[in-house]
Amino acid sequence: MQFELTLEEGGDELLNYSLVQDQRTTLTVTPELKQSIHILSLSGYELLQYLQEQAMENPVLEIEAGRDGYLYRKQRGASSGSIAYDQDPLWNVKSTQESMETRLQNQLRLLSLPTDVYRVAAFLAGNLNDDGYLDAELSDLGGVLKVSNDLLEAALHQLQSLEPAGIGSRSLQECLLLQIARDPEPVPYAEEIVDGYLPQLADGSFNQIGLSLRISKEQVSRASQYIRSLNPRPGLSMSIPERHYIVPDAVVRCVGDGWTVAMHPYAHPRLSVNKECREWIKIRQTAEGDSYLNHCFNSARWIERCIEMRKLTLMRVVTAMMEEQQEFLARGVRGLQPMNLLTISSMLDMHESTVSRAIHDKFVLTPQGVFPLKFFFAPSIATADGSGASSRSVKLRIRELVDAENKSKPHSDQTIVELLFAEGIQLSRRTVTKYREELKILSSTYRRRR
């Protein structure tokens, strides 16, 4: 409720003063509410990082996670800056791993090359992309190094002689030819096909290749199978894969004819308040210390409440989702039902934005595997019986139709539309093309084996 003082004027004279009562409704987002919303949207790993930061600033807040006890603990009776870990932090340091450049340089050292050749070859090894290809032009590299083209060619030849075969190539054709040349028993005509008929091979024009080389279609087919067995990306075998570990936020288990939902303990750390700090402050009896301690206790209790609210909200959302996806628990992706945020928010009488924050970067362990919660939200595809089908299950069906097709007469997008329509799934050809491209499936023209 707000009061305003207004002035009413008539002509040049001030008539009178008046008080006007105005009632307004405004929405105020407090810092505590912002913190609660932020905690709800955090993933399990981000939540742990956030709580550790809060524990660093709040001396009364302690974090307990996992069956091994305290993951992060402050020394009792010590200052806030004194921290002790249950484990040696050096155990968490990643071991050193050799990169592709380092491995190639180690192989170059074993060749006893002249100094200038080794220097240029090592420089070329450092300019390969993740697939093991040399993208830059030799002339451009020569201008950078101030060396002749003959020296560049000699260094590139030494680089391409290293393992794995095909490393240092400048094109797919050169990569395949290097591997064929290194093979002691290559399939006949494989080198000729790669050298002069690679586009025709990609189109599946076996008859055209056979007529040009005067060989049978069976020989072209055997050479094609051999070429397809070669590695088009030799650098990937030398790259260091980045591992991502996922701790599910919830676990769904099938028990008899039903199922249960439980929160994973590692993704939901428990908090506790160190009450010994209050006794420590009472001994000193300082007003500043008591005020600071009360602030820390209130902040710690609010964080505890936010964690419990986050756990309860996520539990309700996952339970509602699994109620809608019982067919998925039994049959996998084929049984996935169409679902959106409105479906879950209506079931729980919860705002859609709250559901969206609850599923953000969260994962669930089901009998079918580990899935992000967003995986279960897919648009509905019209069906003949009006029940609707999930777009993910439709994509799986398209994949199955392509895998089972006759490779000499692959299904066109229109044929897939007709096959799906016969199963009661109504899709346009444009939508089928879109789903096929999302599945990284080539068109029927490139899938055909002639």
Side-chain angles (χ1 to χ4, degrees):
M1 187 171 297
Q2 184 177 357
F3 292 92
E4 294 182 356
L5 181 63
T6 62
L7 299 178
E8 297 182 2
E9 298 184 3
D12 297 332
E13 297 181 358
L14 182 63
L15 297 180
N16 62 347
Y17 295 96
S18 64
L19 290 175
V20 179
Q21 184 177 357
D22 184 15
Q23 186 174 359
R24 302 176 183 177
T25 303
T26 59
L27 177 63
T28 303
V29 181
T30 63
E32 290 80 8
L33 181 58
K34 290 182 179 180
Q35 186 180 34
S36 177
I37 294 174
H38 178 65
I39 289 176
L40 177 61
S41 62
L42 293 177
S43 64
Y45 176 77
E46 293 173 340
L47 176 64
L48 185 58
Q49 298 295 318
Y50 176 79
L51 293 179
Q52 288 180 351
E53 294 175 0
Q54 295 297 316
M56 286 286 293
E57 301 175 358
N58 194 333
V60 305
L61 183 63
E62 291 183 342
I63 306 173
E64 185 178 357
R67 65 187 68 177
D68 297 327
Y70 285 99
L71 178 66
Y72 176 92
R73 176 191 296 169
K74 295 181 176 64
Q75 292 281 9
R76 295 186 180 275
S79 62
S80 60
S82 178
I83 301 172
Y85 295 88
D86 289 340
Q87 297 181 3
D88 187 348
L90 294 179
W91 292 359
N92 298 325
V93 178
K94 295 179 64 177
S95 60
T96 58
Q97 296 180 345
E98 293 183 343
S99 62
M100 177 173 61
E101 179 182 0
T102 303
R103 294 181 183 182
L104 294 176
Q105 290 179 355
N106 291 338
Q107 295 184 53
L108 289 172
R109 292 189 184 98
L110 300 177
L111 299 179
S112 301
L113 300 174
T115 304
D116 54 349
V117 176
Y118 170 80
R119 183 175 64 88
V120 177
F123 179 81
L124 296 179
N127 284 272
L128 302 181
N129 60 21
D130 294 337
D131 295 334
Y133 286 82
L134 183 64
D135 293 332
E137 295 290 339
L138 288 182
S139 57
D140 297 337
L141 297 177
V144 174
L145 296 175
K146 308 298 184 189
V147 296
S148 63
N149 290 334
D150 294 338
L151 181 56
L152 281 170
E153 292 289 348
L156 180 60
H157 175 73
Q158 296 296 334
L159 178 63
Q160 292 179 348
S161 67
L162 304 179
E163 294 293 338
I167 200 74
S169 303
R170 289 161 291 181
S171 64
L172 174 62
Q173 184 182 44
E174 185 178 22
C175 177
L176 299 177
L177 288 175
L178 287 173
Q179 296 181 54
I180 296 174
R182 194 86 64 88
D183 191 350
E185 296 181 356
V187 173
Y189 302 103
E191 183 176 1
E192 290 82 354
I193 293 176
V194 172
D195 188 35
Y197 303 94
L198 198 58
Q200 291 81 358
L201 181 65
D203 292 339
S205 303
F206 289 1
N207 291 332
Q208 181 181 350
I209 297 174
L211 292 175
S212 300
L213 294 177
R214 297 182 179 180
I215 58 178
S216 64
K217 183 178 179 180
E218 288 73 16
Q219 290 176 305
V220 177
S221 179
R222 285 196 298 269
S224 173
Q225 293 178 2
Y226 168 75
I227 295 171
R228 293 178 185 276
S229 66
L230 301 177
N231 186 4
R233 298 178 178 178
L236 294 183
S237 61
M238 305 185 71
S239 61
I240 302 173
E242 185 178 355
R243 297 181 179 179
H244 298 277
Y245 298 95
I246 296 176
V247 177
D249 298 84
V251 180
V252 180
R253 295 185 177 91
C254 292
V255 180
D257 295 335
W259 47 270
T260 60
V261 177
M263 296 293 103
H264 199 288
Y266 285 94
H268 300 274
R270 291 179 296 175
L271 302 180
S272 61
V273 177
N274 188 354
K275 298 181 180 180
E276 294 181 4
C277 287
R278 180 179 293 276
E279 302 298 330
W280 183 78
I281 293 294
K282 287 182 178 180
I283 295 176
R284 285 149 180 80
Q285 294 182 351
T286 60
E288 295 81 1
D290 190 58
S291 176
Y292 171 72
L293 188 64
N294 288 333
H295 172 73
C296 291
F297 267 95
N298 292 334
S299 177
R301 290 193 181 99
W302 176 252
I303 293 178
E304 275 189 294
R305 183 181 177 185
C306 291
I307 297 299
E308 291 300 322
M309 292 171 58
R310 176 185 186 273
K311 183 178 180 179
L312 177 61
T313 302
L314 189 57
M315 182 74 174
R316 293 179 61 197
V317 170
V318 174
T319 302
M321 291 173 57
M322 293 303 106
E323 288 181 0
E324 290 291 312
Q325 301 294 346
Q326 296 187 41
E327 287 293 321
F328 168 82
L329 297 177
R331 300 169 50 203
V333 180
R334 293 180 180 84
L336 195 63
Q337 300 298 315
M339 187 174 64
N340 53 32
L341 294 177
L342 181 60
T343 305
I344 303 301
S345 63
S346 300
M347 293 176 60
L348 302 177
D349 194 17
M350 186 182 297
H351 198 273
E352 293 183 39
S353 61
T354 304
V355 178
S356 177
R357 293 187 182 98
I359 67 175
H360 178 69
D361 282 344
K362 310 296 193 307
F363 293 83
V364 59
L365 174 61
T366 70
Q368 306 297 335
V370 179
F371 296 89
L373 291 182
K374 287 187 176 181
F375 173 83
F376 299 95
F377 293 88
S380 176
I381 304 298
T383 57
D385 56 4
S387 59
S390 171
S391 61
R392 297 190 188 277
S393 61
V394 173
K395 289 181 182 179
L396 178 62
R397 184 54 185 155
I398 293 176
R399 168 69 70 180
E400 293 174 347
L401 291 174
V402 172
D403 292 341
E405 69 185 2
N406 184 357
K407 300 306 177 182
S408 60
K409 296 181 180 179
H411 298 315
S412 64
D413 292 345
Q414 183 60 38
T415 304
I416 295 177
V417 169
E418 296 171 358
L419 292 174
L420 292 176
F421 184 79
E423 298 177 2
I425 302 174
Q426 302 173 3
L427 280 182
S428 64
R429 188 188 62 82
R430 181 178 298 179
T431 305
V432 169
T433 302
K434 173 186 174 183
Y435 287 171
R436 176 179 56 77
E437 292 176 349
E438 291 178 356
L439 294 171
K440 300 186 184 304
I441 299 176
L442 298 175
S443 64
S444 58
T445 303
Y446 292 97
R447 299 200 311 269
R448 181 179 294 110
R449 294 181 183 176
R450 299 181 179 89

